[in-house]
Amino acid sequence: DTAVSQTPKYLVTQMGNDKSIKCEQNLGHDTMYWYKQDSKKFLKIMFSYNNKELIINETVPNRFSPKSPDKAHLNLHINSLELGDSAVYFCASSQSRSGLRLTQYFGPGTRLLVL
Amino acid sequence: AQTVTQSQPEMSVQEAETVTLSCTYDTSESDYYLFWYKQPPSRQMILVIRQEAYKQQNATENRFSVNFQKAAKSFSLKISDSQLGDAAMYFCAYTYNNDMRFGAGTRLTVKP
């Protein structure tokens, strides 16, 4: 029944490792997003996909690579993890209409800790 | 670039009282959406209320209402009859087209 789900919810890993976070939405939305929330709670958009096409790509290190196999899934792969990557990562989805993206629904977040 | 400013990092309210959280934003667009999201300690981002910029009427959801001043680019959230469960971080957000921008958040404490 979960509208937007993310796995895993917690991820603890060593510097230099590669990890992935998965996101799935069952709302039938056509747009999905990744956000990063830092330790000061500041939320910043990273990527947005509409119907599997990348439409927003903020200034994010190219170690971060989103992948959208279909419009219900948007995964985030991170290479060569660094200490500064420690944060909570939120996936979200929304339905577009007339070019305007409507309410975004968020997943529960994935807390990533890089040691 | 669109920016969203929440000038109150922390607010406190007595249970059953009313509190208003401030938000201002900067945009050159005329048709956009504004939101308030709540983030309790569980980390879940929960939509509280939404306002379409083309609507003059202020949105209301039960105890939550907004004061939307388009010309002033102000979008404050009023919480009436505050409850302990209202304690959380509150984020103001602006969206236009594919992009959503969040304010830095206001931490609301509710005192019993």
Side-chain angles (χ1 to χ4, degrees):
Chain A
D1 282 316
T2 305
V4 183
S5 59
Q6 294 177 230
T7 52
K9 288 190 177 177
Y10 298 94
L11 186 53
V12 181
T13 188
Q14 299 287 329
M15 258 175 38
N17 284 349
D18 303 339
K19 290 292 179 186
S20 292
I21 307 172
K22 295 185 177 182
C23 178
E24 177 181 2
Q25 55 95 3
N26 62 8
L27 297 167
H29 290 165
D30 60 2
T31 307
M32 296 184 73
Y33 311 79
W34 276 109
Y35 289 86
K36 178 180 179 181
Q37 185 176 39
D38 61 26
S39 58
K40 295 181 179 177
K41 303 294 185 187
F42 189 70
L43 266 161
K44 185 173 169 54
I45 191 165
M46 300 173 70
F47 301 103
S48 175
Y49 269 72
N50 176 254
N51 285 320
K52 303 195 298 175
E53 281 191 40
L54 181 65
I55 51 175
I56 289 179
N57 184 355
E58 291 292 299
T59 306
V60 175
N62 57 15
R63 299 181 294 102
F64 290 79
S65 53
K67 292 280 192 309
S68 183
D70 54 62
K71 72 175 190 177
H73 296 84
L74 181 61
N75 304 324
L76 183 65
H77 189 75
I78 315 170
N79 289 329
S80 303
L81 278 156
E82 300 178 358
L83 294 177
D85 297 333
S86 295
V88 180
Y89 292 85
F90 284 96
C91 177
S93 73
S94 70
Q95 184 61 42
S96 64
R97 188 182 69 199
S98 302
L100 284 177
R101 271 56 186 178
L102 304 183
T103 306
Q104 293 187 18
Y105 294 87
F106 285 79
T110 296
R111 183 179 290 279
L112 171 64
L113 179 60
V114 182
L115 302 174
Chain B
Q2 295 85 6
T3 58
V4 180
T5 302
Q6 292 178 249
S7 59
Q8 307 150 317
E10 295 185 358
M11 290 286 283
S12 179
V13 64
Q14 205 70 36
E15 197 176 3
E17 296 293 312
T18 295
V19 64
T20 298
L21 308 184
S22 302
C23 175
T24 58
Y25 57 94
D26 182 28
T27 184
S28 57
E29 305 297 336
S30 60
D31 195 8
Y32 49 86
Y33 290 78
L34 296 163
F35 305 84
W36 279 97
Y37 282 89
K38 167 185 176 181
Q39 187 179 38
S42 67
R43 280 204 327 260
Q44 181 74 44
M45 290 288 285
I46 302 165
L47 177 67
V48 174
I49 199 164
R50 183 181 100 166
Q51 175 81 42
E52 292 93 333
Y54 64 86
K55 289 187 178 178
Q56 292 186 340
Q57 187 173 6
N58 288 325
T60 300
E61 286 287 340
N62 300 314
R63 298 182 296 106
F64 298 87
S65 61
V66 298
N67 183 4
F68 174 47
Q69 302 288 329
K70 191 172 184 179
K73 296 179 184 174
S74 169
F75 182 61
S76 60
L77 174 70
K78 185 170 87 170
I79 307 174
S80 304
D81 185 26
S82 297
Q83 300 175 359
L84 295 178
D86 295 333
M89 283 287 287
Y90 285 81
F91 293 95
C92 177
Y94 158 101
T95 187
Y96 174 77
N97 216 2
N98 306 311
D99 201 359
M100 181 174 266
R101 303 285 165 168
F102 286 83
T106 296
R107 182 177 300 282
L108 178 66
T109 303
V110 181
K111 297 178 181 176

